[in-house]
Amino acid sequence: NIPFYPTKAQQKVVQEIMMNFQEKKPMRRLIQGDVGSGKTIVAAAAMNICSQNKKQSVLMCPTEVLAKQHFENFVNWFKDKNISIELLLGKTKKSDKEKIEKKLINGEIDILIGTHTVFQKNIEFKSLALIVVDEQQRFGVKQRFDLASKSQSEEMPHQLFMTATPIPRTLAMTLYGDLDISVIDELPPGRKTVKTIWKSEGGRLAMLAFVQKEIEKGRQAYIVYPLINESQTLDYKDLMDGYESICRTFKGKQISIVHGQMKSEDKDFEMNRFAKGETQIMVATTVIEVGVNIPNASIMVIESAERFGLSQL
């Protein structure tokens, strides 16, 4: 059901995970791979192995938008397998949440995909064998340990962490000395390399003309403004000024806006419009930094790039 053949790098990482599964001690492995290198497929393969062995696995996501996207992909990938997949979010109805809790403890759910809601006290698994943490830098160490203690079985679950943030190996060994590290260093065939171009204020008109050209080709664009806690009022003004100027420049185009002061359902609404292609431009702050997959977006403009950290960029 996967629309492409796994790359050699993906196959190698799946082999490494399978080797870990056969050892006596639980796996603790970090998968580092660029955006689009196929980390989620590798996680799905590992979770599939658990399901075949009548064990449960959980995929943790930092945002609801990302959790939903993973859920839709997993349902598609596992559609003709006898594998039960559930989605648990902060806004899941109480009655549905209770059903999921019962099914988990009875072992009727093979794969659970969720946000921080998975940490709640009532959530317990019958036989949790694998914890996958997406965008692992967004979770605390204690949270990951709390999750590991949620299984009724005596065995400690395996843990798989995924990140697209490039971590040099020496730093990784210092930070994650107790983790094995896998790197997916190959993009699926047909992927073009990403070009990063720095422009000063004098190049703004050329940059806007380039964005216009991409939109005319039917593509979409992100325009990201910094939002820094020290001066939210100032930065909010930056964003709104930027939004108004973008609206003037791209008359007649549909434009989404997303920032941290919006309610989460409004953010989701705007993200979904962009994901469906109903809007051509997404004006946003760093709240969009967690990997939502919008293949049609071909350009991202980052304003005041010097105000971002390396990991955010």
Side-chain angles (χ1 to χ4, degrees):
N1 296 333
I2 294 167
F4 53 83
Y5 196 75
T7 62
K8 283 198 173 67
Q10 285 172 310
Q11 291 174 46
K12 178 181 80 104
V13 177
V14 171
Q15 289 292 328
E16 288 169 350
I17 291 168
M18 287 171 77
M19 297 293 281
N20 283 145
F21 280 175
Q22 289 165 33
E23 290 169 12
K24 291 278 185 282
K25 65 178 200 304
M27 166 182 80
R28 289 173 56 75
R29 185 172 285 281
L30 176 75
I31 299 182
Q32 187 207 309
D34 212 346
V35 174
S37 62
K39 297 183 291 293
T40 316
I41 292 281
V42 169
M47 294 166 102
N48 183 36
I49 295 166
C50 293
S51 305
Q52 303 299 329
N53 286 281
K54 304 286 178 278
K55 299 278 187 187
Q56 293 167 302
S57 53
V58 60
L59 171 58
M60 291 286 314
C61 308
T63 66
E64 297 199 342
V65 174
L66 191 58
K68 277 187 203 154
Q69 190 170 45
H70 281 329
F71 177 69
E72 284 161 16
N73 283 335
F74 271 64
V75 166
N76 196 17
W77 296 335
F78 290 104
K79 62 181 172 226
D80 45 13
K81 287 185 176 288
N82 189 20
I83 289 178
S84 158
I85 306 169
E86 288 287 352
L87 178 66
L88 182 64
L89 306 172
K91 60 180 173 205
T92 302
K93 279 193 216 143
K94 194 167 180 240
S95 55
D96 293 341
K97 211 175 264 183
E98 283 165 1
K99 276 183 203 158
I100 289 174
E101 284 166 17
K102 273 191 194 139
K103 281 178 161 183
L104 276 176
I105 205 79
N106 293 337
E108 292 168 41
I109 294 173
D110 299 301
I111 294 174
L112 180 68
I113 297 173
T115 54
H116 291 73
T117 317
V118 173
F119 296 123
Q120 288 177 351
K121 277 199 181 104
N122 304 349
I123 305 295
E124 282 214 4
F125 296 80
K126 184 181 181 187
S127 59
L128 179 62
L130 174 65
I131 297 165
V132 181
V133 182
D134 195 8
E135 302 288 344
Q136 66 81 32
Q137 71 281 4
R138 301 289 292 264
F139 293 92
V141 174
K142 185 178 182 302
Q143 287 178 314
R144 303 199 293 250
F145 277 114
D146 285 350
L147 200 52
S149 63
K150 281 184 170 288
S151 180
Q152 288 194 328
S153 81
E154 291 297 299
E155 293 174 349
M156 272 292 276
H158 298 289
Q159 295 185 334
L160 192 60
F161 309 115
M162 303 196 289
T163 185
T165 304
I167 304 167
R169 200 163 273 271
T170 43
L171 179 61
M173 283 165 76
T174 313
L175 285 176
Y176 308 109
D178 56 342
L179 296 190
D180 295 317
I181 297 171
S182 294
V183 180
I184 301 181
D185 50 7
E186 185 183 353
L187 284 175
R191 285 289 165 100
K192 292 178 181 168
T193 53
V194 175
K195 285 183 189 161
T196 305
I197 300 158
W198 176 79
K199 292 269 187 205
S200 62
E201 194 55 43
R204 181 171 293 277
L205 287 175
M207 176 273 290
L208 290 170
F210 182 69
V211 173
Q212 180 74 42
K213 213 183 279 177
E214 287 298 297
I215 290 170
E216 279 162 11
K217 284 186 203 164
R219 296 297 196 174
Q220 289 162 283
Y222 285 102
I223 299 179
V224 183
Y225 288 83
L227 189 69
I228 297 167
N229 294 338
E230 287 128 302
S231 66
Q232 287 220 333
T233 47
L234 174 77
D235 288 312
Y236 183 67
K237 183 175 173 296
D238 277 2
L239 178 81
M240 296 320 286
D241 286 352
Y243 177 65
E244 282 162 21
S245 115
I246 295 295
C247 290
R248 286 194 299 274
T249 308
F250 297 96
K251 277 198 183 98
K253 300 292 180 221
Q254 296 296 314
I255 299 170
S256 284
I257 183 166
V258 170
H259 57 80
Q261 294 175 11
M262 290 165 76
K263 287 184 185 154
S264 104
E265 54 267 32
D266 295 341
K267 272 192 273 198
D268 286 357
F269 174 74
E270 287 292 340
M271 286 299 282
N272 286 331
R273 284 178 69 210
F274 190 61
K276 286 180 195 155
E278 291 169 12
T279 58
Q280 283 86 45
I281 297 173
M282 163 70 78
V283 175
T285 61
T286 53
V287 292
I288 54 120
E289 79 177 89
V290 168
V292 176
N293 182 23
I294 299 175
N296 192 43
S298 63
I299 179 168
M300 178 179 283
V301 177
I302 300 175
E303 292 277 0
S304 310
E306 74 281 0
R307 290 161 75 182
F308 292 87
L310 181 63
S311 146
Q312 283 176 314
L313 287 172

